[in-house]
Amino acid sequence: MVVTTTKPNSDERLRSTFASRYATTSLPRFKIPSGSMPKEAAYQTVNDELMLDGNPRLNLASFVTTWMEPECDKLIMASINKNYVDMDEYPVTTELQNRCVNMIAHLFHAPVGDDETAIGVGTVGSSEAIMLAGLAFKRKWQAKRKEQGKPYDKPNIVTGANVQVCWEKFARYFEVELKEVKLSEGYYVMDPAKAVEMVDENTICVAAILGSTLAGEFEDVRLLNKLLTKKNEETGWDTPIHVDAASGGFIEPFLYPELEWDFRLPLVKSINVSGHKYGLVYAGVGWVVWRSTEDLSDELVFHINYLGSDQPTFTLNFSKGSYQIIAQYYQFIRLGFEGYRNIMENCMENARLLKEGINKTGRFNILSKDIGVPLVAFSLKDSRRYTVFQISESLRRFGWIVPAYTMTPDAEHIALLRVVIREDFSHSLAERLVSDIQKVIKELDELPPHATVEAANVALDDLHRSKADGLLLKKSVNETQKEICRYGRRISDKKTSGVC
């Protein structure tokens, strides 16, 4: 009999992540640890925590692209270490950005010839793009007011109350008053007539949305241009229009080319669009293009030479990754006009299928329109037993991330669910989601009514004593809905609940 002994391999034991001390001790949360750990242990630890994140493909709250082709993934990984701002060191990347700007400008009918260079820049999403466009409007308005010897310290922007939070950020960060046109039940976009009424001599621009975050609708930019042109002629002002096409800019040209919303309208001076939404690129890349050089003040453009040559730059960020720019160019040449149109048609078809399935349940009102961003927004017909917030929470058990939120003033009593249809949301997934919604409804129907913490109190106090005469009065459906929505607004910010 041969007697053998096993000599422990300390290095092997150290590299066995789940048997090591790294799996049985708490990881630092506030201070950098004093010592190092093996790369395998660090990877496994971070990877394990990330498993608790939601599945991006099932995140139906977001407009942001969650899938790209493997070939583009390779390009991204090959360029992930390139700093976009190093234009002299990475001239090809700079050239690809310029090509993208020109392609987008021509897509939006900018008045530039085939051999002319369009005015625009790649940004970190539409938020930065909106900041840059807003600054350009503010500086141009201020310059004109100074020439006229008039006050220039109280600029304002007119928008609908349905604008995304980045407009609120711009107004607060750059000291511009945000004048919002309130919504009304059944009409969840900016009313052009009301917007023009709010315009005054201090208005630096009117911002219209091509693809509202709340319900996906396109605002009537053509009518806005007509009404604002008339007001400018009557007053002598020259108030311009900016179009926030973050969601709809890569949809409308391929599905509804007859709609006039872009540079075909004379007052439209700048447009932003999100490449990481229906531009089909991972987060975060956006674009802003101007009608002409006259619409972008020279004083906002900086020139640097310490990276090798003279480089004009107009961004809020300096260093940023190059891979989104490269990925955007890949999508443009890979898909072409035909490919984008086919993808958008598929998205709209899947949205139609989902809408039909939700309608067949008989429990919901569809709030989204047939023309707009491919999404389905829907509210409960009766919220006395349970609410959309409870449906949203229950769908999480099946992996679905479907946001529930309330409309903005003056339609805040409307609470709704919204499903964004992206390229990677298939016909079969739409059918599965409808099936899971039906399961959730059936389960909630069998439970006693308790929508939320406050809604539970509403249900318990559904019969309350009138202060006037002591009579027992049953709360109406509308009153109950309003109480539930007031609670919903307290737990979710009105501008960020519609995730983009």
Side-chain angles (χ1 to χ4, degrees):
M1 179 178 179
V2 179
V3 178
T4 61
T5 58
T6 302
K7 197 170 184 179
N9 187 326
S10 59
D11 184 65
E12 181 179 352
R13 184 169 63 249
L14 186 63
R15 292 177 182 275
S16 179
T17 304
F18 290 103
S20 73
R21 63 185 178 87
Y22 301 104
T24 57
T25 58
S26 298
L27 291 172
R29 296 180 59 195
F30 304 109
K31 294 183 180 179
I32 295 177
S34 57
S36 304
M37 69 165 61
K39 61 181 182 295
E40 296 88 350
Y43 167 80
Q44 192 66 58
T45 300
V46 176
N47 186 67
D48 288 352
E49 287 212 57
L50 289 174
M51 288 192 300
L52 298 174
D53 266 348
N55 185 336
R57 294 281 301 276
L58 299 181
N59 178 9
L60 306 182
S62 178
F63 293 81
V64 177
T65 297
T66 52
W67 179 86
M68 297 188 75
E69 292 176 324
E71 289 77 11
C72 193
D73 289 345
K74 291 178 183 178
L75 284 174
I76 289 172
M77 293 309 300
S79 58
I80 202 166
N81 58 351
K82 289 183 180 179
N83 188 357
Y84 166 76
V85 77
D86 294 337
M87 299 178 185
D88 196 54
E89 288 75 8
Y90 308 123
V92 176
T93 299
T94 301
E95 170 64 18
L96 296 187
Q97 187 235 210
N98 294 338
R99 292 179 190 177
C100 288
V101 167
N102 280 277
M103 289 178 178
I104 294 169
H106 280 91
L107 187 67
F108 297 162
H109 300 95
V112 294
D114 293 337
D115 57 346
E116 293 181 311
T117 301
I119 306 300
V121 67
T123 60
V124 183
S126 277
S127 291
E128 184 188 7
I130 285 168
M131 302 286 176
L132 298 179
L135 279 172
F137 283 119
K138 180 180 178 181
R139 290 303 174 88
K140 187 171 183 179
W141 174 83
Q142 287 178 325
K144 184 174 182 179
R145 298 283 290 184
K146 289 177 183 178
E147 290 178 2
Q148 296 173 338
K150 296 180 180 180
Y152 54 89
D153 60 334
K154 294 182 179 180
N156 67 66
I157 284 182
V158 175
T159 71
N162 54 315
V163 291
Q164 216 267 347
V165 69
C166 55
W167 283 98
E168 211 170 73
K169 287 182 178 180
F170 167 76
R172 189 177 303 177
Y173 294 167
F174 296 102
E175 299 179 323
V176 176
E177 180 189 1
L178 191 66
K179 299 170 69 173
E180 295 184 339
V181 179
K182 303 302 181 184
L183 307 185
S184 58
E185 186 170 352
Y187 193 83
Y188 305 119
V189 291
M190 179 180 70
D191 184 329
K194 292 181 180 178
V196 172
E197 287 178 6
M198 297 177 70
V199 170
D200 58 33
E201 63 179 352
N202 293 322
T203 302
I204 63 175
C205 79
V206 179
I209 304 176
L210 194 76
S212 172
T213 298
L214 296 177
E217 293 179 67
F218 295 161
E219 293 184 341
D220 193 341
V221 189
R222 188 170 183 270
L223 177 57
L224 176 64
N225 181 84
K226 179 181 178 181
L227 297 176
L228 191 54
T229 297
K230 182 179 179 181
K231 184 160 189 173
N232 284 341
E233 292 173 350
E234 294 172 349
T235 59
W237 304 334
D238 58 354
T239 308
I241 296 172
H242 173 86
V243 180
D244 180 356
S247 299
F250 284 123
I251 295 172
E252 189 280 338
F254 306 107
L255 295 183
Y256 317 107
E258 71 283 355
L259 291 181
E260 293 184 351
W261 63 274
D262 52 18
F263 292 121
R264 286 170 289 184
L265 302 175
L267 291 184
V268 175
K269 303 299 183 181
S270 56
I271 300 172
N272 69 277
V273 64
S274 291
H276 62 220
K277 293 181 181 178
Y278 290 96
L280 307 179
V281 177
Y282 294 139
V285 58
W287 303 92
V288 57
V289 289
W290 284 270
R291 171 180 288 273
S292 67
T293 55
E294 297 176 358
D295 299 304
L296 178 59
S297 174
D298 288 337
E299 66 176 302
L300 293 174
V301 180
F302 289 83
H303 293 265
I304 58 173
N305 62 11
Y306 55 80
L307 293 174
S309 64
D310 180 65
Q311 297 173 9
T313 175
F314 179 37
T315 60
L316 296 181
N317 298 280
F318 194 66
S319 295
K320 63 180 177 181
S322 296
Y323 69 88
Q324 297 103 330
I325 302 293
I326 295 168
Q328 184 74 83
Y329 185 68
Y330 169 89
Q331 291 289 55
F332 284 167
I333 65 170
R334 164 74 175 94
L335 297 172
F337 194 94
E338 180 185 16
Y340 269 93
R341 183 179 59 203
N342 290 340
I343 289 171
M344 301 312 153
E345 287 176 347
N346 289 340
C347 289
M348 292 302 294
E349 174 61 21
N350 287 327
R352 183 194 61 78
L353 175 72
L354 180 62
K355 177 181 176 181
E356 289 179 357
I358 292 172
N359 256 331
K360 287 179 181 178
T361 66
R363 301 301 188 91
F364 300 99
N365 293 315
I366 303 295
L367 303 181
S368 49
K369 307 298 183 182
D370 292 333
I371 295 179
V373 177
L375 62 79
V376 183
F378 51 106
S379 63
L380 272 170
K381 291 181 177 179
D382 186 351
S383 295
R384 287 176 296 180
R385 290 184 58 83
Y386 49 85
T387 70
V388 292
F389 302 101
Q390 204 169 352
I391 293 174
S392 175
E393 183 180 356
S394 298
L395 284 172
R396 289 261 184 168
R397 294 189 292 107
F398 299 95
W400 302 108
I401 302 174
V402 179
Y405 55 94
T406 59
M407 288 291 189
T408 59
D410 292 327
E412 62 268 26
H413 61 284
I414 304 295
L416 65 156
L417 296 155
R418 188 196 65 204
V419 175
V420 177
I421 309 300
R422 301 187 301 270
E423 180 186 7
D424 54 358
F425 187 83
S426 65
H427 191 106
S428 59
L429 284 177
E431 293 176 331
R432 172 56 100 181
L433 177 57
V434 171
S435 175
D436 289 340
I437 289 175
Q438 291 172 333
K439 292 176 184 176
V440 167
I441 291 174
K442 186 176 184 298
E443 292 174 356
L444 294 175
D445 282 340
E446 295 172 353
L447 294 174
H450 61 289
T452 57
V453 175
E454 178 164 322
N457 294 331
V458 171
L460 291 174
D461 193 34
D462 202 24
L463 292 176
H464 65 98
R465 191 168 298 278
S466 169
K467 293 181 180 179
D469 54 15
L471 295 177
L472 291 177
L473 300 175
K474 188 174 180 63
K475 291 187 178 180
S476 68
V477 175
N478 192 44
E479 289 171 332
T480 303
Q481 174 83 330
K482 287 182 177 180
E483 292 199 39
I484 292 170
C485 289
R486 280 196 292 270
Y487 175 76
R489 287 196 304 278
R490 288 206 300 271
I491 63 175
S492 61
D493 182 86
K494 68 182 179 72
K495 291 292 187 187
T496 57
S497 56
V499 181
C500 68

